[in-house]
Amino acid sequence: MQHRGHRIAAVGDYDSILPFQAIGLRQFAIDDPDDENRLREILLDLINKRFAICFMTEDLCRRYEQMIDDLTCDNMLSVISIPTLKYSTGYGTSQIRNWVEKAVGIDIFANK
Amino acid sequence: MANKLNVNPNRMMLNVIKKRLVTAKRGHKLLKDKQDALIKEFLQKAREVMKLREKVEPALTTCYRSFLMARAQMVPAILEQSLLMASGGEAMVDVKKRNLMSVVVPEFAVEETGGQVIGYGFAMTSGSLDLALEQFAALLPDLVRLASEEKALRLMACEIERTRRRVNALEYVLIPAFEETIRDITMKLDEMERSNLSRLMRIKEIVRSH
């Protein structure tokens, strides 16, 4: 079954998500990374408004990993980490390795 | 040694538990097969997602870099204004749900919006901004594909973990408990049978001696 017209969001610091606005993504800037409640509100809002994808900067994904997992495990919102404008820590790939290790018991990408 | 179930040792209970043991063994086999198939599918997907991520992340960094160049050449207020006007509309995706070994995974596809037209004026903006935004727009389908694959991977990882717990619970707790209970009930019934037999023999002897 196909559902049409789901929106995409970009969440993170203002500088990193600015260009996403130009390609039609709804942006939600978070000025203070310590503000957990603001992020929770944004995520709940995205879930309620049936957004399909949320691109979130790595620093926030890493910091609030558990909360994001808890909020998005039973719905279709897909939260994807993206590098920030200033740096990339490789969190996205390490997250995939974590999932593989959790599911299979070994890290199949360990030798790479 | 597994904990045996707290049931009455009679024939009816023995039959019930034997039936439950058969069901549990069948369930265990099915779940084990499901787990193997899921892991096979999962590993394949994990490799694909890893490749996609390794492709998308450097591309995104390049996009950021060219955006920074454009940003440096422009007045911040004009840049913000231009970006607001840049998109022809909101980017939308279609969501299709697919059942993958009883895991419902979403599949996203970018909706065609009828051509991306740059909506800002060219007089006050630099050419490098056009290039940077073009790069971003070109990357969007890959980002959307990554989103759908990563979500599927995450859901499959959860399902594999859940299935493994179920398989282990059946294999190490429930099935041994049933087997232990069946053995226990059989022994008790045999014991009753033997005591009954010896009682009958004794009674027969008494009757014969009179």
Side-chain angles (χ1 to χ4, degrees):
Chain A
M1 199 172 150
Q2 194 165 353
H3 302 273
R4 297 177 72 88
H6 288 262
R7 283 175 291 181
I8 313 173
V11 180
D13 59 291
Y14 180 73
D15 290 336
S16 301
I17 59 170
L18 189 62
F20 286 102
Q21 186 183 0
I23 52 170
L25 271 63
R26 185 70 66 87
Q27 59 164 341
F28 296 88
I30 292 186
D31 305 319
D32 178 17
D34 296 327
D35 196 353
E36 191 181 338
N37 286 335
R38 163 112 173 106
L39 184 67
R40 186 190 299 274
E41 273 170 26
I42 289 173
L43 281 176
L44 288 174
D45 198 37
L46 295 181
I47 293 166
N48 287 337
K49 288 183 178 159
R50 303 179 63 75
F51 274 70
I53 306 168
C54 168
F55 295 113
M56 193 180 282
T57 48
E58 275 177 7
D59 50 340
L60 290 174
C61 275
R62 185 186 288 274
R63 197 157 174 181
Y64 300 111
E65 189 179 346
Q66 191 58 47
M67 185 183 85
I68 295 166
D69 264 357
D70 292 346
L71 285 176
T72 59
C73 64
D74 54 354
N75 51 58
M76 282 296 142
L77 180 69
S78 171
V79 178
I80 300 303
S81 69
I82 49 168
T84 61
L85 193 63
K86 290 171 196 147
Y87 55 86
S88 164
T89 56
Y91 173 70
T93 46
S94 73
Q95 206 180 20
I96 296 172
R97 290 169 70 159
N98 276 347
W99 291 335
V100 172
E101 206 171 336
K102 201 172 112 183
V104 192
I106 48 161
D107 183 4
I108 56 165
F109 303 108
N111 293 332
K112 281 194 175 177
Chain B
M1 200 171 111
N3 287 335
K4 68 181 179 67
L5 304 176
N6 187 17
V7 289
N8 293 329
N10 52 36
R11 259 174 220 292
M12 209 170 100
M13 220 56 219
L14 184 67
N15 276 340
V16 170
I17 290 174
K18 273 183 178 169
K19 273 182 196 157
R20 285 184 70 188
L21 178 66
V22 172
T23 317
K25 277 187 174 164
R26 214 172 90 215
H28 174 258
K29 190 187 169 296
L30 285 172
L31 278 174
K32 190 101 185 155
D33 288 351
K34 179 187 167 184
Q35 189 191 6
D36 290 348
L38 258 176
I39 286 178
K40 194 177 154 210
E41 192 90 12
F42 177 82
L43 288 178
Q44 203 178 334
K45 208 170 242 317
R47 286 196 185 98
E48 276 171 29
V49 174
M50 201 60 154
K51 258 185 216 158
L52 191 61
R53 201 166 247 288
E54 278 167 358
K55 181 183 149 197
V56 165
E57 275 198 8
L60 200 58
T61 315
T62 316
C63 287
Y64 273 141
R65 210 168 290 150
S66 47
F67 180 71
L68 267 179
M69 287 296 289
R71 203 176 164 181
Q73 291 166 3
M74 286 174 68
V75 184
I78 292 174
L79 176 79
E80 276 179 35
Q81 217 176 33
S82 312
L83 290 177
L84 268 175
M85 291 189 292
S87 63
E90 225 172 340
M92 295 281 187
V93 286
D94 294 338
V95 182
K96 215 160 73 178
K97 287 175 185 169
R98 195 157 64 97
N99 195 333
L100 207 79
M101 309 271 161
S102 83
V103 188
V104 181
V105 298
E107 271 183 355
F108 304 130
V110 187
E111 264 183 29
E112 296 297 327
T113 49
Q116 295 272 333
V117 183
I118 295 175
Y120 50 78
F122 297 122
M124 303 291 280
T125 57
S126 72
S128 48
L129 181 68
D130 304 351
L131 284 175
L133 293 186
E134 256 173 34
Q135 281 178 351
F136 265 105
L139 196 61
L140 188 63
D142 273 347
L143 278 170
V144 168
R145 198 156 71 87
L146 180 71
S148 116
E149 301 272 306
E150 273 200 9
K151 180 76 180 177
L153 200 69
R154 182 181 245 164
L155 290 172
M156 282 168 84
C158 288
E159 185 65 24
I160 288 174
E161 212 188 349
R162 214 176 297 148
T163 314
R164 194 171 51 223
R165 287 174 80 93
R166 281 184 191 147
V167 169
N168 285 348
L170 280 173
E171 192 173 339
Y172 297 110
V173 181
L174 209 63
I175 293 177
F178 284 153
E179 282 171 346
E180 182 71 24
T181 315
I182 288 172
R183 208 164 62 95
D184 195 65
I185 295 178
T186 317
M187 277 189 337
K188 280 209 170 122
L189 289 177
D190 285 353
E191 181 59 33
M192 276 161 69
E193 185 84 31
R194 277 194 296 275
S195 77
N196 209 16
L197 194 72
S198 64
R199 196 163 50 232
L200 278 176
M201 284 164 74
R202 179 77 186 127
I203 291 169
K204 209 171 173 184
E205 216 177 83
I206 294 168
V207 170
R208 199 177 290 156
S209 66
H210 278 285

